[in-house]
């Protein structure tokens, strides 16, 4: 699955971009947290935006809800409106700025800010619902925090077997939709997701494929 996703920013270009940012004393002070937390978050986002530009990634304009979802949001049925609201795409990239990770005590403030920024941008870029995205991230965070996470290296055959077991005849279509969602993510988020999926068990991998596919499916 990972072989067919857009390649990350080349190391040389990323290093040059970061060096340029570091030469800006104001940005460096903000990035180091010397100007307060809000300024630090803005500096991390500036770094993310610069790396995305190097990779040729352009932030999409948030989509309007699909016709069926728009109709459901205006439905006279409260139950139907509640379901539709749960599918409404998130448009605020800062929605995950305060997400609490299980490994928060083991990583720097900069790393957490960068991770949360990348996640928020990916949620908006893919048109995912914030509650749906959070439930997915919660599951992945729990999976990689297990003592045996990453103990058994994956094989392509093993992963495909898990996906086929979960989705049967729809396995290929589900995988294709999941790749579509991943391709819409910023490179930094793709890198995080690749690394995370390498550490989860095959059943959680298959579950995540289904979650990513659902995001793409709700936009059709």
């Amino acid at each position: 699955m990972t072989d067919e996703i857009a390649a990350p920013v080349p190391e040389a270009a990323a290093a040059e971009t970061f060096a340029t940012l570091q030469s800006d004393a104001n940005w460096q002070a903000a990035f180091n947290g010397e100007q307060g937390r809000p300024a630090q978050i803005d500096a991390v986002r500036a770094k993310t935006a610069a790396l995305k530009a190097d990779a040729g990634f352009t932030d999409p304009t948030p989509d309007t809800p699909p016709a069926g979802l728009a109709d459901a949001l205006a439905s006279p049925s409260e139950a139907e409106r509640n379901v539709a609201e749960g599918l409404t795409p998130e448009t605020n990239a800062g929605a995950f700025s305060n997400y609490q990770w299980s490994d928060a005590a083991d990583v720097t403030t900069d790393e957490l800010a960068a991770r949360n920024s990348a996640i928020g941008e990916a949620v908006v870029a893919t048109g995912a619902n914030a509650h749906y995205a959070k439930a997915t991230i919660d599951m992945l965070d729990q999976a990689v925090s297990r003592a045996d996470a990453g103990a058994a290296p994956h094989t392509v055959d093993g992963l495909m077997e898990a996906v086929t077991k979960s989705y049967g005849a729809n396995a290929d279509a589900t995988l294709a939709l999941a790749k579509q969602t991943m391709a819409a993510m910023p490179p930094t988020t793709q890198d995080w997701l690749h690394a995370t999926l390498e550490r989860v068990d095959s059943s959680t991998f298959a579950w995540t494929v289904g979650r990513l596919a659902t995001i793409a499916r709700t936009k059709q």
Side-chain angles (χ1 to χ4, degrees):
M1 177 175 180
T2 57
D3 291 341
E4 300 179 28
I5 302 300
V9 181
E11 291 185 8
E16 182 177 351
T17 295
F18 191 42
T20 300
L21 287 171
Q22 288 180 307
S23 68
D24 182 334
N26 185 59
W27 178 88
Q28 186 67 66
F31 188 77
N32 291 341
E34 298 170 12
Q35 299 177 5
R37 178 65 171 163
Q40 185 178 45
I41 292 174
D42 287 341
V44 170
R45 287 175 177 166
K47 176 186 173 184
T48 299
L51 292 175
K52 284 161 59 179
D54 277 342
F57 181 87
T58 302
D59 285 319
T61 300
D63 293 332
T64 55
L69 180 56
D71 291 342
L73 287 168
S75 171
S77 166
E78 181 177 359
E80 188 170 352
R81 289 199 306 275
N82 287 341
V83 171
E85 288 171 0
L87 296 173
T88 304
E90 178 58 59
T91 58
N92 175 19
F96 286 80
S97 60
N98 296 315
Y99 186 82
Q100 300 298 308
W101 299 89
S102 61
D103 65 347
D106 302 321
V107 296
T108 67
T109 300
D110 291 346
E111 290 172 326
L112 287 174
R115 190 189 301 174
N116 286 347
S117 177
I119 292 296
E121 290 168 2
V123 170
V124 173
T126 58
N129 171 265
H131 297 293
Y132 184 90
K134 183 179 183 302
T136 305
I137 295 167
D138 285 346
M139 179 67 171
L140 290 172
D141 187 44
Q142 292 171 18
V144 297
S145 67
R146 289 169 43 182
D148 61 347
H154 290 310
T155 64
V156 173
D157 289 343
L159 293 177
M160 283 306 302
E161 181 180 351
V163 172
T164 301
K165 181 178 179 180
S166 295
Y167 307 108
N170 295 320
D172 288 342
T174 301
L175 192 57
L177 286 170
K179 291 177 180 178
Q180 181 179 319
T181 297
M182 287 191 72
M185 296 178 181
T188 48
T189 318
Q190 290 187 24
D191 291 345
W192 168 80
L193 187 53
H194 285 317
T196 299
L197 291 177
E198 288 176 357
R199 297 181 59 201
V200 303
D201 58 86
S202 59
S203 62
T204 301
F205 176 93
W207 177 85
T208 305
V209 166
R211 300 286 287 188
L212 295 173
T214 296
I215 294 172
R217 193 174 292 115
T218 59
K219 299 180 68 176
Q220 294 181 337

